[in-house]
Amino acid sequence: MKRIESADAVRGFSLLGIFMANLLIFQFGLSGKDHMEYYDLNGINEFVFKTVKVIFEGSFLPIFAVLFGFSMDKLFQSMKNKEMKWKRFKLLSRAAGIIILGLLHSYFIWEGDILLAYGIAMIIFIPFISLPKWFFRIVTILLAAGLILITAASFFLPAEPVENTGSAVSAEDEQEYMSALTEVYSSGNYGEILDARQNLEDPFFTEEMEAIDGAGVLILLIGMLMPAMFYAVGVYLSKAGWFSKSANHFWSSKIFIYLIPVSIILKSSIYWMNNEEIAYSLNFMFALILSFGLMSLIKYIYQFHENSSLITGLKSMGKLSLTIYIMQSLIGTTIFYGYGFGMFGSDMFALSAVIFIVFYILQMILAVWYLKHFTYGPLEYLLRTVTYMNFRKKKWNRELK
């Protein structure tokens, strides 16, 4: 089955957005990025922080998840065309490999891992992988309709009064946590940071658990199902041949490109709208619309500039996406954690953004060079080996072919 390189280009582009969105966590922590009152940013750094948060946060992970589903369908169809046996078992083996890699990544490198959730969602999704196109089309339509209805409902539902029931978490606990987090992450060694990641109690997380009060299982279930929902959209795009169709088609592609600036403006409503419920509903909805707009934009650029250096770089990044993703975690932790340059919590966010863009470009150059000599990235080859249970050396080095 011929590889769809426009999808590789979109996947490579999504790695830029994931890297920039993760910059918020690398520099300020999982909770800290949403509680910037504990950090003192100057005007320029605050502006860049808000720009990155609006454009990148929540807009690129959906692209990555959609392409995950797209690739899963292509892999399943390829095995089907080759009349392989135990196709679902091979996919389950692949999911197990992703879960193990996610566990290792989240424990030893960085807590912001997405692979574990993706692997679990893959196990949930595998039983449905062979269903016809109409099923995934209906799922996609229902997801879009549900998103619109939920957002529309936020305009009419009255805001619930905030009940002060006396949280077990005090402002002093929060301040103490942020101070301890910044201290250990910016100046601690690897062992100290690993220990803090496992044992430092996050009061913001505790407060959130109190707020949902018994709905934790439901929230966890939704969290596991969310990637699977995006997988369904990816499978539909695969079966519909969306990446191969003209990017000039208005209703399937071009309209979303035109909606990119609108989406960015409405995503930014979290900073200028008084009603928080409506603002966050708009932010969530238009993050997904922005995701599809950016996918359409890269598809458009690919179709008209397929041989450009930019597209070549994006395709190369997309083909090495797993290796690049883990490499980005190593880069981020080295820059911000105490065992590296210790920039965690610093008032240098604009510089951090420039550094990350430079590293992304360097990764792109490295990916182009690498694929001139090798067919698969090291982690891609490992995952392929786990999928097919084939430990032969073929297709690792191009010279061995």
Side-chain angles (χ1 to χ4, degrees), residues 204-247:
F204 299 105
F205 179 76
T206 302
E207 204 167 32
E208 288 175 3
M209 290 301 98
E210 287 181 355
I212 59 177
D213 189 26
V217 175
L218 179 61
I219 298 295
L220 180 63
L221 182 61
I222 293 173
M224 289 191 297
L225 288 176
M226 186 64 73
M229 295 175 188
F230 289 126
Y231 296 171
V233 177
V235 172
Y236 173 65
L237 294 183
S238 171
K239 294 182 181 296
W242 183 83
F243 282 98
S244 301
K245 291 181 179 178
S246 173

Side-chain angles (χ1 to χ4, degrees), residues 300-371:
Y300 181 90
I301 296 172
Y302 173 86
Q303 291 184 359
F304 289 94
H305 304 279
E306 182 179 352
N307 297 317
S308 67
S309 298
L310 173 63
I311 292 298
T312 300
L314 292 177
K315 288 191 299 184
S316 300
M317 293 280 280
K319 292 173 182 177
L320 302 175
S321 58
L322 184 57
T323 298
I324 293 294
Y325 170 71
I326 298 298
M327 189 188 300
Q328 288 178 344
S329 293
L330 294 171
I331 292 169
T333 52
T334 300
I335 291 172
F336 292 104
Y337 289 1
Y339 53 79
F341 294 96
M343 289 176 58
F344 187 91
S346 61
D347 185 18
M348 295 189 291
F349 191 79
L351 175 62
S352 301
V354 172
I355 291 173
F356 265 43
I357 292 171
V358 170
F359 267 107
Y360 177 82
I361 294 171
L362 291 175
Q363 283 188 305
M364 187 183 293
I365 295 169
L366 177 63
V368 172
W369 172 85
Y370 182 92
L371 287 175

Side-chain angles (χ1 to χ4, degrees), residues 85-102:
K85 296 180 180 179
W86 304 98
K87 293 182 286 294
R88 283 186 174 80
F89 179 78
K90 288 179 170 63
L91 290 178
L92 283 171
S93 297
R94 191 177 187 88
I98 292 170
I99 289 171
I100 292 170
L101 185 58

Side-chain angles (χ1 to χ4, degrees), residues 10-70:
V10 175
R11 187 182 296 108
F13 179 69
S14 73
L15 287 166
L16 170 62
I18 291 171
F19 199 30
M20 295 301 293
N22 287 344
L23 168 59
L24 304 172
I25 304 173
F26 283 126
Q27 187 155 353
F28 302 111
L30 276 168
S31 294
K33 70 180 179 64
D34 296 319
H35 296 276
M36 293 305 293
E37 64 270 18
Y38 293 98
Y39 296 101
D40 186 21
L41 299 186
N42 65 33
I44 294 175
N45 288 319
E46 183 179 1
F47 173 78
V48 176
F49 174 87
K50 290 180 177 179
T51 300
V52 169
K53 193 170 179 68
V54 168
I55 295 176
F56 296 102
E57 190 175 54
S59 303
F60 284 80
L61 278 178
I63 299 176
F64 206 65
V66 166
L67 288 167
F68 198 97
F70 174 89

